[in-house]
Amino acid sequence: MNSRKLILILCIFTWTFAAQAAKERHYLPVEREDFTAKEKLLNFSIVYAAQWGIYYLTQKQAIKDHGSLENYYTNPFRVRFDNDSFDYNIFQHTLSGQFYYLFYRSQAYTEKGAFFWSFMSSLAFEFTIETVTENPSFQDIYQTPVFGTVAGIGIERLSRYLHGTNNFFAHGLAYLINPLSILPNFSRALIAMPTVTKESAGIMAYYEF
């Protein structure tokens, strides 16, 4: 089975569950549009810092062999079509874009907002991080946010559907496919209640796994 057929099957499977999740309205996402400039900068910076960290950890040898300050300053002006394999471009960049999208969604961005900031994060990676070792890629600029958003929408809705069941193993699978659903902004994550008695005072926290 070639990669195109596999991607098509995965998309159909994921979106089937996504439609069911939307129909049953399990754990509707919390969404905002009134983000302050400080909040936007903070969220973007979190993704940017993670990009630098992951790039350094996974590309140590490439940085050692091919990285230079000259590349960092000149490569951003040499955008080209890369020669990476179709499978590499599709799967790796879709996975990266998916996590950008899911992070922004976990911070209560709308789907359009999450796509926009995924696109901006992708540009930041291409033009200010990866340029240490190679030129920015035309394919990566659009494939990462576009394919990542498509996959992210399906994964998010599937995870919400699984969280909406009464099955412990389904909940575990939901966290596995969307680890970012553990963050506090996921709509059902945490309930905290103050408790006061004659002898003590405190807070009772309830986390719905």
Side-chain angles (χ1 to χ4, degrees), residues 15-79:
W15 278 87
T16 298
F17 276 95
Q20 181 67 19
K23 179 180 179 181
E24 298 190 15
R25 303 180 69 81
H26 285 309
Y27 295 118
L28 294 179
V30 176
E31 294 182 347
R32 292 175 50 201
E33 294 186 353
D34 58 342
F35 290 96
T36 64
K38 183 178 180 180
E39 288 175 316
K40 292 176 181 177
L41 178 60
L42 175 61
N43 290 325
F44 182 82
S45 297
I46 290 172
V47 175
Y48 190 62
Q51 288 173 318
W52 266 112
I54 294 172
Y55 184 70
Y56 176 75
L57 291 174
T58 60
Q59 302 296 325
K60 283 184 180 180
Q61 193 60 46
I63 293 172
K64 181 179 179 180
D65 294 341
H66 308 291
S68 71
L69 284 176
E70 181 181 356
N71 287 344
Y72 191 74
Y73 294 119
T74 60
N75 279 348
F77 304 99
R78 300 172 179 173
V79 187

Side-chain angles (χ1 to χ4, degrees), residues 44-162:
F44 182 82
S45 297
I46 290 172
V47 175
Y48 190 62
Q51 288 173 318
W52 266 112
I54 294 172
Y55 184 70
Y56 176 75
L57 291 174
T58 60
Q59 302 296 325
K60 283 184 180 180
Q61 193 60 46
I63 293 172
K64 181 179 179 180
D65 294 341
H66 308 291
S68 71
L69 284 176
E70 181 181 356
N71 287 344
Y72 191 74
Y73 294 119
T74 60
N75 279 348
F77 304 99
R78 300 172 179 173
V79 187
R80 47 78 170 138
F81 287 96
D82 65 46
N83 296 317
D84 294 337
S85 68
F86 176 83
D87 290 347
Y88 181 88
N89 269 334
I90 289 295
F91 288 107
Q92 175 163 317
H93 292 287
T94 296
L95 184 63
S96 299
Q98 172 187 308
F99 274 97
Y100 300 161
Y101 176 85
L102 291 174
F103 171 78
Y104 287 114
R105 286 291 285 163
S106 76
Q107 300 306 301
Y109 286 76
T110 64
E111 291 182 345
K112 290 182 179 179
F115 168 73
F116 172 79
W117 284 103
S118 295
F119 180 73
M120 297 302 293
S121 289
S122 178
L123 285 180
F125 179 81
E126 286 295 317
F127 285 93
T128 71
I129 298 178
E130 197 172 37
T131 49
V132 171
T133 57
E134 59 183 274
N135 305 67
S137 162
F138 282 117
Q139 299 105 303
D140 297 350
I141 289 171
Y142 71 85
Q143 285 178 351
T144 301
V146 172
F147 294 162
T149 294
V150 171
I153 289 173
I155 289 297
E156 180 196 21
R157 294 183 181 180
L158 175 56
S159 70
R160 290 185 182 279
Y161 171 77
L162 293 171

Side-chain angles (χ1 to χ4, degrees), residues 27 30 175 181-193 203-209:
Y27 295 118
V30 176
Y175 283 116
S181 64
I182 201 171
L183 296 180
N185 280 330
F186 198 72
S187 60
R188 56 93 197 90
L190 179 67
I191 298 173
M193 298 177 60
I203 296 176
M204 180 175 65
Y206 170 72
Y207 188 84
E208 182 180 340
F209 178 81

